[in-house]
């Protein structure tokens, strides 16, 4: 038996969660360092996964596989394996968690949460590691049922993170804040649970049709022509899966839980939601929807593309209209998820590679912007854009990093998001020119909400309340600095990621029997 | 020698990184460092130029491939440079004028506590602009294209504490983004048509596709050019961009960045040559803008805004010329270079005047300054003579050629129309520039103490400022004549842009004569209005046209009503819709299905603990179910 590397990448943060939770109440700082330590070990393991993964042309689709019987009677197996897309997203998750932990270093101190009876600090960091473990394992699962369990189970720690550790910068009273926070947490939970329930029905349906939950077995059956799936059955099953993923991603009109959740959660948790957990939704569209139901995916493409297009434009317009910094970033994310989903369903190699790269880049850029926004909000104690002004003058480094985060969000060439956004656009345009052109309006709107946010908060005369605002501290710089370096690096040299993702995209495209459209003038 | 190309970009890029990340310890040396990096790039440019001159005309293009940037399937983008005669012309202009403006800024920004950052941004601009002109494919060009947009954004908004500056910066970026949509779509069209977007491959294959495709690509490139080069209908940002420090107006918003659209169209010549309809659109945009800018320039009392109108108008000439095809490309670029000299010189002169006048920009409060700042007066005066096309000076050679080429657009009515517009523009140019000259340097002194009682004491600027002005004045006087000796400039560019001799509808001497006559009429009218009569300190009400021109011919008002107000209403109503309708319908559907809405409300009223318990219960059920399944 080979070394269970993949299990280990998920087991380390899970163990870390238990260890952190077990730290005695008084040793809060030790708990933080412990959590950081485990997240860094996980990152190191993710790097090992990346190195061990073979991108050569003859390499297996799923590598580093592990397989054990789990619930034998239902054919549920503990089956793991990664393709390039999985590796990229595991890398993203493992990368972001240490930053989230450091950024949230003081978010769960007792004086912040106002709760001393239980151990909020230990709980906070343990929950983050728990989410990490589940998300990483969900990128590794190659058994549909195993994936489903993880997809649902990660809601539990997320629910507590949103509901239990809200943003203290709230306009209303404490009581009001608590109520809004609970509302956001419950809304998050219920939306995702409903999605999950519908998916559960589809998972069972799939078992009835295919007799197995194993991706590899289903692929073999399909290749051998043994998989009989009536058109309508396939479409229904596709819809069941897609609905759950579209809630999580989130796709218009199922998006309304996200602004609530991101607005009420602390900034690091908001990043955890949109940069990490939501990626499971778009990842699963690529892996499960397209691979399991290729014909239905093709059937649904026009509708999905239109919904994605609506998300892009609608999310951006809503972002322009927001008065709350964090809700603005949430709507911007909705717009970006529209791009990701559009890229996936454009069914071209540029679209899907771009979409995968987009998941990674969006994770990093949103983390950069949102975490700086969090630092800003914690200084002034308000999330309202109107409460800021002239910050640039008093805290130039904070403003500078905020600007770079904004520029990444508007996909400035030279920074990573540009590469992915352009690939998605060109990949979509190649097959659906009209949709591609309309989506291009997104680049103007993206500039609008990003720069309006920057202008209103950072420029102009210095508001009295921000006049004494300190600039970024060392801890905060250590969070933002590396993220910015990554944004520049992946903007200039995205090749390591595109090469990693390429073979997986080729497999997915051959699953759905699609080829890139040929250019009109043949290459010489 | 090829391997030096990347150094052109690397030097100012390194400068930007060092200056922007270096922190306060570089405050005292930052401006020198920034200037050194700019000069370093210029030296590399000159070395490469010498090498290029030593080779045959057809063998002058150099290439440097750095690395594969975005390789996905058939989509292959490289970071690779191409330095041919066209790029070389730009490299020398950018680094040369750029270095001068760095030197000028040492004095101009002396009292600004953020001078180091200013130089960092200037270096960043140089790096981006150089990427733009030496990229060997459209996607890398796009990086430079938006990079200069970013630098322009940062520099227009350099005095961010002024809300007007922050707004102007944002506006410039947004309007440019509209143009960038055009560039994006053009690149996508190239990819689906040719399977590539490298200059060499695309431009060689234009014959193999339909005219319709080429027209579409051409129109999208024109949209991009309109944004960056402030051409109608995307010109509205340039006037506001004058909020930036004056050296920025000289370098970015006059001499270099705003001419990027002309570069794009000239570079894409093979596409436009195959798409006459797109060319017509280019010519129309150029002609409309050259009049638009000139009319706006006549009405402005703010010296920088008058010059901004002039810039718009002069770039209109270049765009018009570029739209004429092989008879115009070389002249478009020639005018671009001479304009780079005299317009940069004029802006630096305006900055020098402001420097001596407590940053006053209203020309009605100048007057008689020639006595107080003789060097500024002399250099500004030479720039003035150059821009109006005074015979023998730079502008005469380059603008006259464009007017000739416009008359040669075709044998019939088009030649007359566009030739006529170009000629008329020359007259208006003479008028508004004479107006600027007279109001600033001649007549009675009209300045008064400001609100705090400080009376301006106009004085000549320091050497670091006047020397660049003198150098540029030399260019304004001699460059055009030098370029026209044996048509040397045209021959230099011919291998890249190709060249055909224009055959105008009327004879060349007649055109030259009419240009001079029109020029004299413009000067004379201005003299009657602003030289002979005293200039009132407060602006008279003026005719309807004057009032409209002061407001940029009402384009901003239109934008404000339609785009800004309309957009605000749209987003506001969408926020409402999202909150009530979308959220409501989705929640409501859920309620209809499972009474979730009610449960939502009920749960909301509870305590966190009760959720915890219910969640724990849920987990327990889940675990039990799994175990049970295993047991069964």
């Amino acid at each position: 038996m080979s070394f269970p590397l993949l299990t280990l990448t998920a087991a380390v943060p899970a163990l870390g969660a238990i260890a952190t939770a077990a730290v005695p109440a008084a040793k809060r700082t030790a708990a933080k360092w412990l959590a950081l330590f485990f997240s860094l070990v996980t990152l190191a393991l993710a790097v090992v996964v990346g190195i061990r993964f073979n991108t050569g042309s003859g390499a297996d689709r799923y590598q580093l596989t592990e397989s054990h019987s789990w619930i034998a009677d239902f054919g549920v197996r503990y089956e793991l394996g990664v393709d390039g897309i999985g590796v990229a997203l595991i890398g993203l998750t493992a990368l972001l968690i240490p930053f989230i932990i450091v950024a949230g270093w003081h978010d769960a101190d007792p004086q912040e949460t106002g709760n001393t009876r239980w151990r909020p600090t230990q709980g906070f960091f343990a929950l983050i590691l728990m989410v990490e473990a589940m998300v990483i394992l969900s990128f590794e699962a190659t058994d549909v049922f195993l994936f489903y369990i993880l997809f649902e189970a990660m809601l539990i720690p997320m629910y507590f993170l949103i509901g239990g550790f809200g943003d203290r910068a709230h306009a209303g009273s404490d009581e009001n804040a608590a109520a809004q926070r609970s509302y956001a947490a419950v809304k998050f939970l219920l939306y995702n649970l409903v999605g999950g329930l519908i998916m559960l029905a589809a998972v069972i349906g799939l078992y009835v049709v295919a007799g197995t939950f194993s991706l590899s077995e289903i692929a073999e059956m399909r290749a051998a022509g043994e998989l009989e799936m009536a058109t309508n059955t396939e479409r229904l099953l596709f819809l069941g899966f897609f609905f759950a993923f579209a809630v999580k991603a989130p796709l218009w009109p199922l998006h309304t839980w996200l602004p609530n959740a991101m607005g009420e959660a602390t900034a690091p948790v908001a990043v955890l939601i949109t940069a990490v957990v939501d990626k499971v939704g778009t990842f699963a569209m690529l892996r499960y929807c397209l691979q399991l139901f290729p014909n239905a995916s093709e059937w649904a493409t026009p509708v999905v593309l239109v919904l994605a297009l609506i998300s892009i434009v609608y999310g951006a317009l809503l972002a322009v209209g927001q008065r709350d910094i964090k809700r603005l970033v949430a709507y911007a994310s909705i717009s970006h998820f529209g791009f990701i989903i559009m890229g996936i369903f454009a069914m071209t190699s540029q679209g899907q590679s771009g979409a995968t790269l987009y998941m990674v880049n969006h994770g990093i850029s949103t983390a950069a912007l949102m975490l700086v926004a969090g630092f800003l909000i914690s200084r002034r104690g308000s999330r309202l854009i109107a409460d800021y002004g002239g910050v640039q003058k008093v805290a130039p480094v904070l403003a500078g990093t905020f600007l770079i985060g904004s520029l990444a969000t508007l996909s400035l060439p030279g920074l990573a998001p540009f590469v992915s956004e352009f690939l998605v656009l060109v990949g979509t345009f190649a097959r659906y020119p009209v949709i591609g052109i309309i989506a291009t309006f997104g680049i103007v709107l993206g500039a609008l909400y990003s720069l309006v946010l920057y202008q209103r908060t950072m420029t102009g005369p210095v508001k009295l309340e921000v006049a004494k605002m300190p600039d970024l501290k060392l801890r905060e710089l250590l969070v933002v600095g590396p993220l910015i370096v990554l944004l520049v690096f992946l903007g200039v040299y995205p090749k390591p990621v595109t090469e990693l993702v390429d073979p997986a995209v080729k497999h997915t495209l051959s699953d759905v029997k699609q080829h890139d459209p040929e250019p009109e003038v043949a290459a010489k | 020698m090829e391997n030096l190309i990347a150094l052109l970009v690397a030097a100012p890029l390194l400068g930007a990184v060092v200056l922007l990340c270096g922190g306060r310890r570089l405050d005292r040396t930052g401006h020198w460092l920034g200037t050194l990096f700019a000069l370093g790039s210029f030296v590399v440019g000159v070395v490469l130029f010498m090498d290029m001159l030593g080779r045959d005309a057809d063998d002058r293009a150099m290439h440097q491939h750095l690395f594969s940037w975005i390789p996905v399937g058939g989509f292959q983008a490289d970071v690779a440079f191409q330095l041919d005669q066209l790029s070389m012309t730009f490299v020398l202009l950018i680094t040369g004028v750029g270095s001068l403006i760095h030197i000028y800024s040492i004095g101009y920004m002396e009292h600004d506590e953020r001078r180091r950052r200013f130089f960092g941004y200037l270096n960043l601009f140089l790096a981006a602009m150089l990427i733009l002109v030496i990229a060997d494919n459209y996607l890398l060009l796009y990086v430079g294209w938006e990079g200069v947009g970013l630098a322009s954004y940062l520099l227009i908004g350099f005095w961010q504490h002024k809300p007007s500056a922050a707004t102007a910066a944002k506006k410039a970026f947004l309007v440019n983004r509209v143009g960038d949509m055009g560039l994006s779509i053009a690149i996508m069209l190239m990819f689906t048509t040719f399977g590539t977007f490298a200059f060499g491959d695309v431009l060689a294959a234009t014959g193999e596709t339909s005219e319709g495709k080429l027209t579409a690509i051409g129109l999208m490139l024109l949209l991009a050019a309109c944004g960056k080069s402030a051409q109608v209908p995307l010109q509205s940002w340039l006037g506001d961009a004058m909020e930036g420090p004056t050296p920025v107006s000289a370098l970015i918003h006059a001499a270099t960045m705003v001419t990027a659209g002309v570069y794009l169209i000239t570079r894409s010549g093979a596409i436009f040559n195959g798409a006459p309809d797109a060319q017509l659109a280019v010519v129309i945009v150029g002609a409309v803008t050259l009049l638009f800018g000139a009319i706006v320039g006549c009405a402005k009392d703010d010296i920088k805004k008058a010059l901004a109108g002039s810039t718009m108008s002069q770039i209109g000439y270049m765009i018009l010329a570029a739209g004429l095809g092989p008879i115009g490309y070389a002249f478009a670029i020639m005018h671009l270079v001479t304009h780079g000299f005299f317009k940069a010189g004029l802006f630096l002169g305006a900055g020098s005047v402001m420097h001596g006048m407590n940053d006053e920009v209203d020309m009605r409060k100048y007057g008689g300054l020639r006595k107080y700042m003789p060097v500024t007066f002399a250099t500004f005066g030479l720039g003035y003579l150059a821009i109006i096309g005074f015979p023998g000076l730079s502008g005469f050679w380059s603008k006259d050629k464009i007017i000739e080429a416009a008359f040669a657009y075709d044998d019939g009515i088009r030649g007359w129309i566009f030739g006529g517009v170009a000629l008329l523009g020359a007259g208006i140019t003479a008028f508004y520039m004479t107006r600027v000259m007279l109001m600033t340097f001649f007549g009675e002194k009209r300045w008064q103490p400001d609100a705090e009682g400080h009376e301006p004491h106009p004085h000549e600027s320091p050497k670091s400022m006047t020397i660049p002005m003198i150098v540029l004045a030399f260019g304004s006087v001699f460059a055009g004549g030098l370029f026209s000796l044996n048509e040397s400039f045209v021959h230099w560019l011919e291998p890249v842009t190709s060249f055909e001799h224009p055959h105008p509808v009327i004879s060349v001497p007649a055109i030259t004569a009419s240009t001079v006559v029109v020029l004299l009429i413009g000067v004379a009218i201005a003299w009657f209005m602003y030289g002979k009569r005293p200039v009132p300190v407060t602006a008279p009400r003026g005719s309807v046209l004057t009032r409209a021109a002061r407001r940029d011919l009402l384009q901003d008002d239109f934008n404000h009503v339609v785009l800004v107000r309309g957009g605000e209403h749209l987003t506001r109503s969408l926020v409402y819709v999202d909150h009530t309708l979308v959220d409501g319908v989705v929640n409501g559907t859920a309620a209809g299905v499972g009474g979730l809405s009610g449960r939502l409300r009920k749960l909301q009223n509870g305590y966190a603990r009760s959720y915890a318990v219910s969640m724990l219960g849920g987990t327990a059920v889940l675990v039990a179910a799994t175990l049970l399944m295993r047991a069964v």
Side-chain angles (χ1 to χ4, degrees), chain B residues 581-595:
Chain B
L581 212 65
V582 180
D583 205 18
V585 167
V586 175
N587 282 349
T589 316
V593 176

PDB file of all heavy atoms in Angstrom, chain B residues 581-595:
ATOM      1  N   LEU B 581     -37.270  41.506  -3.958  1.00  0.00           N
ATOM      2  CA  LEU B 581     -37.826  40.567  -4.919  1.00  0.00           C
ATOM      3  C   LEU B 581     -37.056  39.253  -4.969  1.00  0.00           C
ATOM      4  O   LEU B 581     -37.602  38.188  -4.689  1.00  0.00           O
ATOM      5  CB  LEU B 581     -37.865  41.234  -6.293  1.00  0.00           C
ATOM      6  CG  LEU B 581     -39.030  40.766  -7.167  1.00  0.00           C
ATOM      7  CD1 LEU B 581     -40.348  41.185  -6.546  1.00  0.00           C
ATOM      8  CD2 LEU B 581     -38.888  41.323  -8.561  1.00  0.00           C
ATOM      9  N   VAL B 582     -35.752  39.341  -5.296  1.00  0.00           N
ATOM     10  CA  VAL B 582     -35.006  38.096  -5.502  1.00  0.00           C
ATOM     11  C   VAL B 582     -34.924  37.315  -4.191  1.00  0.00           C
ATOM     12  O   VAL B 582     -35.273  36.142  -4.126  1.00  0.00           O
ATOM     13  CB  VAL B 582     -33.582  38.400  -6.029  1.00  0.00           C
ATOM     14  CG1 VAL B 582     -32.823  37.099  -6.225  1.00  0.00           C
ATOM     15  CG2 VAL B 582     -33.665  39.158  -7.326  1.00  0.00           C
ATOM     16  N   ASP B 583     -34.489  38.026  -3.150  1.00  0.00           N
ATOM     17  CA  ASP B 583     -34.401  37.371  -1.852  1.00  0.00           C
ATOM     18  C   ASP B 583     -35.775  36.863  -1.441  1.00  0.00           C
ATOM     19  O   ASP B 583     -35.940  35.730  -0.993  1.00  0.00           O
ATOM     20  CB  ASP B 583     -33.878  38.396  -0.826  1.00  0.00           C
ATOM     21  CG  ASP B 583     -33.206  37.720   0.340  1.00  0.00           C
ATOM     22  OD1 ASP B 583     -32.849  36.538   0.191  1.00  0.00           O
ATOM     23  OD2 ASP B 583     -33.047  38.359   1.382  1.00  0.00           O
ATOM     24  N   GLY B 584     -36.778  37.728  -1.625  1.00  0.00           N
ATOM     25  CA  GLY B 584     -38.128  37.375  -1.221  1.00  0.00           C
ATOM     26  C   GLY B 584     -38.664  36.179  -1.984  1.00  0.00           C
ATOM     27  O   GLY B 584     -39.221  35.255  -1.389  1.00  0.00           O
ATOM     28  N   VAL B 585     -38.477  36.177  -3.290  1.00  0.00           N
ATOM     29  CA  VAL B 585     -39.029  35.091  -4.097  1.00  0.00           C
ATOM     30  C   VAL B 585     -38.340  33.770  -3.745  1.00  0.00           C
ATOM     31  O   VAL B 585     -38.998  32.744  -3.568  1.00  0.00           O
ATOM     32  CB  VAL B 585     -38.884  35.402  -5.603  1.00  0.00           C
ATOM     33  CG1 VAL B 585     -39.162  34.166  -6.437  1.00  0.00           C
ATOM     34  CG2 VAL B 585     -39.829  36.508  -5.992  1.00  0.00           C
ATOM     35  N   VAL B 586     -37.020  33.835  -3.613  1.00  0.00           N
ATOM     36  CA  VAL B 586     -36.311  32.591  -3.311  1.00  0.00           C
ATOM     37  C   VAL B 586     -36.703  32.085  -1.925  1.00  0.00           C
ATOM     38  O   VAL B 586     -37.052  30.909  -1.754  1.00  0.00           O
ATOM     39  CB  VAL B 586     -34.784  32.790  -3.414  1.00  0.00           C
ATOM     40  CG1 VAL B 586     -34.066  31.530  -2.982  1.00  0.00           C
ATOM     41  CG2 VAL B 586     -34.409  33.135  -4.837  1.00  0.00           C
ATOM     42  N   ASN B 587     -36.710  32.996  -0.956  1.00  0.00           N
ATOM     43  CA  ASN B 587     -37.157  32.595   0.378  1.00  0.00           C
ATOM     44  C   ASN B 587     -38.596  32.105   0.338  1.00  0.00           C
ATOM     45  O   ASN B 587     -38.958  31.123   0.973  1.00  0.00           O
ATOM     46  CB  ASN B 587     -37.069  33.772   1.355  1.00  0.00           C
ATOM     47  CG  ASN B 587     -35.635  34.005   1.802  1.00  0.00           C
ATOM     48  OD1 ASN B 587     -34.767  33.173   1.541  1.00  0.00           O
ATOM     49  ND2 ASN B 587     -35.408  35.122   2.452  1.00  0.00           N
ATOM     50  N   GLY B 588     -39.415  32.847  -0.444  1.00  0.00           N
ATOM     51  CA  GLY B 588     -40.830  32.520  -0.512  1.00  0.00           C
ATOM     52  C   GLY B 588     -41.060  31.157  -1.133  1.00  0.00           C
ATOM     53  O   GLY B 588     -41.883  30.363  -0.656  1.00  0.00           O
ATOM     54  N   THR B 589     -40.310  30.847  -2.175  1.00  0.00           N
ATOM     55  CA  THR B 589     -40.439  29.544  -2.803  1.00  0.00           C
ATOM     56  C   THR B 589     -40.092  28.462  -1.790  1.00  0.00           C
ATOM     57  O   THR B 589     -40.794  27.455  -1.670  1.00  0.00           O
ATOM     58  CB  THR B 589     -39.491  29.432  -4.007  1.00  0.00           C
ATOM     59  OG1 THR B 589     -39.584  30.638  -4.745  1.00  0.00           O
ATOM     60  CG2 THR B 589     -39.849  28.253  -4.866  1.00  0.00           C
ATOM     61  N   ALA B 590     -39.012  28.737  -1.089  1.00  0.00           N
ATOM     62  CA  ALA B 590     -38.604  27.772  -0.070  1.00  0.00           C
ATOM     63  C   ALA B 590     -39.730  27.599   0.949  1.00  0.00           C
ATOM     64  O   ALA B 590     -40.055  26.478   1.352  1.00  0.00           O
ATOM     65  CB  ALA B 590     -37.339  28.257   0.625  1.00  0.00           C
ATOM     66  N   ALA B 591     -40.351  28.731   1.310  1.00  0.00           N
ATOM     67  CA  ALA B 591     -41.439  28.658   2.274  1.00  0.00           C
ATOM     68  C   ALA B 591     -42.565  27.807   1.713  1.00  0.00           C
ATOM     69  O   ALA B 591     -43.149  26.972   2.406  1.00  0.00           O
ATOM     70  CB  ALA B 591     -41.938  30.058   2.596  1.00  0.00           C
ATOM     71  N   GLY B 592     -42.867  28.046   0.448  1.00  0.00           N
ATOM     72  CA  GLY B 592     -43.929  27.283  -0.187  1.00  0.00           C
ATOM     73  C   GLY B 592     -43.615  25.800  -0.163  1.00  0.00           C
ATOM     74  O   GLY B 592     -44.488  24.959   0.043  1.00  0.00           O
ATOM     75  N   VAL B 593     -42.363  25.454  -0.363  1.00  0.00           N
ATOM     76  CA  VAL B 593     -41.986  24.044  -0.432  1.00  0.00           C
ATOM     77  C   VAL B 593     -41.987  23.421   0.971  1.00  0.00           C
ATOM     78  O   VAL B 593     -42.606  22.392   1.204  1.00  0.00           O
ATOM     79  CB  VAL B 593     -40.595  23.882  -1.076  1.00  0.00           C
ATOM     80  CG1 VAL B 593     -40.176  22.428  -1.047  1.00  0.00           C
ATOM     81  CG2 VAL B 593     -40.624  24.406  -2.489  1.00  0.00           C
ATOM     82  N   GLY B 594     -41.328  24.049   1.881  1.00  0.00           N
ATOM     83  CA  GLY B 594     -41.181  23.359   3.164  1.00  0.00           C
ATOM     84  C   GLY B 594     -41.407  24.230   4.384  1.00  0.00           C
ATOM     85  O   GLY B 594     -40.972  23.876   5.477  1.00  0.00           O
ATOM     86  N   GLY B 595     -42.081  25.343   4.199  1.00  0.00           N
ATOM     87  CA  GLY B 595     -42.296  26.201   5.360  1.00  0.00           C
ATOM     88  C   GLY B 595     -40.995  26.700   5.951  1.00  0.00           C
ATOM     89  O   GLY B 595     -40.894  26.993   7.137  1.00  0.00           O
TER      90      GLY B 595
END
